[in-house]
Amino acid sequence: MKLQNKIAVVTGAASGMGKAISILYAQEGAKVILADFDIDGANAVATEINNNGGTAIAIKTDVSNQSDINNLIDTTISTYGTLDILVNNAGIMDNFMPVEKVTDELWNKIIAVNTTGPMMLIRKSMPIFLEKKKGVIINIASIGGIAGSRAGAAYTTSKYALVGLTKNIGFQYATLGIRCNAIAPGGVNTNIGKTITAPDKFGMERATSGGVNNPRMGEASEIASIALFLASDDSSLVNGAIITADAGWTAY
Ligand code: NAD
């Protein structure tokens, strides 16, 4: 097993990629803390893991809330004694809103969940990693963080910022035993479409105009296997990297 007795926090673990990552990590021997504001969904995943011989707990967490983050990491430490792997996966879409229609409310919400949340979680976890001189951080970015128009202005900005944060941390802590990498998925079959509640017609047309070049949709399990590679020592030399997982879409 690749993650025997490792302690892993996964955000957005009730659904999609976070769920797939949590299940795979548990199968590989990790004890997994499932953080999601959908606590019923997270509890269901925890039950599934525990019923199949793994170890998991669910903690209700809004990643944009600092006190929820403090509770998440403090409970992880009081329950399992340490933290080895942090996966910043929770994220939401922005209704493809073009910049002229971005409200302050939308902007602040997308940045809070997709960018500030990961930063706050890394900030809270870093002292634990520094003390151990070991730690792995995996951020789920997006090809929206390396290409200009796969979503609206706020989502695109939030994921570009997450890519920058990943590289900054990857380099700054590289000699201290800590690695920080990101995965940039293309289109993946999950429930994220539920966060597209009122898509802007113009913005969506512009953002999806290149969809014809997408070779295929991915599955959450395909992202999970990359997250396993990045969490394990198999990727010991990989740091500050953004691994694109889009079937070749952005290669066009
Ligand atoms: P999903 O909607 O299936 O799962 C996301 C989970 O995050 C849900 O369980 C949701 O409850 C949780 N969540 C949302 N906001 C939260 C918050 N504030 N605090 C705690 N939990 C919260 O979506 P997914 O596609 O699995 O998304 C995972 C990540 O992948 C996101 O960061 C998303 O931006 C990114 N991504 C998705 C795609 C895609 O095509 N699905 C492509 C590129 C990147």
Side-chain angles (χ1 to χ4, degrees), residues 16-237:
M17 300 179 205
K19 177 179 175 181
I21 292 167
S22 300
I23 290 170
L24 184 59
Y25 279 13
Q27 286 169 350
E28 291 292 333
K31 298 179 171 64
V32 188
I33 298 90
L34 313 170
D36 204 298
F37 63 15
D38 171 11
I39 190 60
D40 293 340
N43 273 325
V45 178
T47 301
E48 187 180 330
I49 288 172
N50 291 320
N51 285 347
N52 285 288
T55 305
I57 56 169
I59 299 178
K60 187 173 167 64
T61 309
D62 177 349
V63 298
S64 65
N65 182 305
Q66 180 71 68
S67 58
D68 278 12
I69 283 172
N70 291 346
N71 176 59
L72 170 64
I73 300 302
D74 291 345
T75 306
T76 297
I77 299 305
S78 61
T79 308
Y80 295 117
T82 192
L83 175 67
D84 299 293
I85 301 158
L86 169 64
V87 182
N88 281 305
N89 164 76
I92 50 173
M93 289 285 287
D94 68 349
N95 278 321
F96 300 102
M97 211 56 73
V99 70
E100 99 249 26
K101 292 188 188 161
V102 172
T103 61
D104 288 350
E105 187 191 5
L106 176 73
W107 180 267
N108 292 336
K109 186 175 175 198
I110 300 297
I111 300 294
V113 175
N114 293 1
T115 311
T116 310
M119 183 284 293
M120 291 195 294
L121 257 163
I122 295 166
R123 180 173 65 190
K124 174 76 178 165
S125 305
M126 197 53 92
I128 303 159
F129 295 153
L130 285 170
E131 197 185 341
K132 297 168 68 130
K133 297 188 173 52
K134 199 165 170 63
V136 177
I137 301 160
I138 298 158
N139 296 322
I140 307 300
S142 169
I143 59 167
I146 55 175
S149 178
R150 303 306 166 108
Y155 184 91
T156 303
T157 303
S158 74
K159 294 297 189 179
Y160 264 84
L162 189 56
V163 165
L165 183 66
T166 302
K167 292 189 176 200
N168 176 271
I169 293 164
F171 185 80
Q172 292 210 337
Y173 294 88
T175 59
L176 301 171
I178 297 158
R179 296 187 297 115
C180 180
N181 294 292
I183 303 170
V188 180
N189 290 317
T190 68
N191 293 312
I192 202 162
K194 284 186 188 163
T195 69
I196 306 172
T197 48
D200 181 80
K201 189 170 177 295
F202 167 79
M204 187 162 79
E205 274 175 16
R206 299 304 295 151
T208 58
S209 58
V212 67
N213 294 315
N214 182 10
R216 70 172 175 89
M217 294 293 285
E219 300 301 331
S221 60
E222 296 181 277
I223 303 301
S225 58
I226 302 167
L228 172 60
F229 168 68
L230 289 175
S232 76
D233 289 339
D234 287 351
S235 60
S236 55
L237 198 57

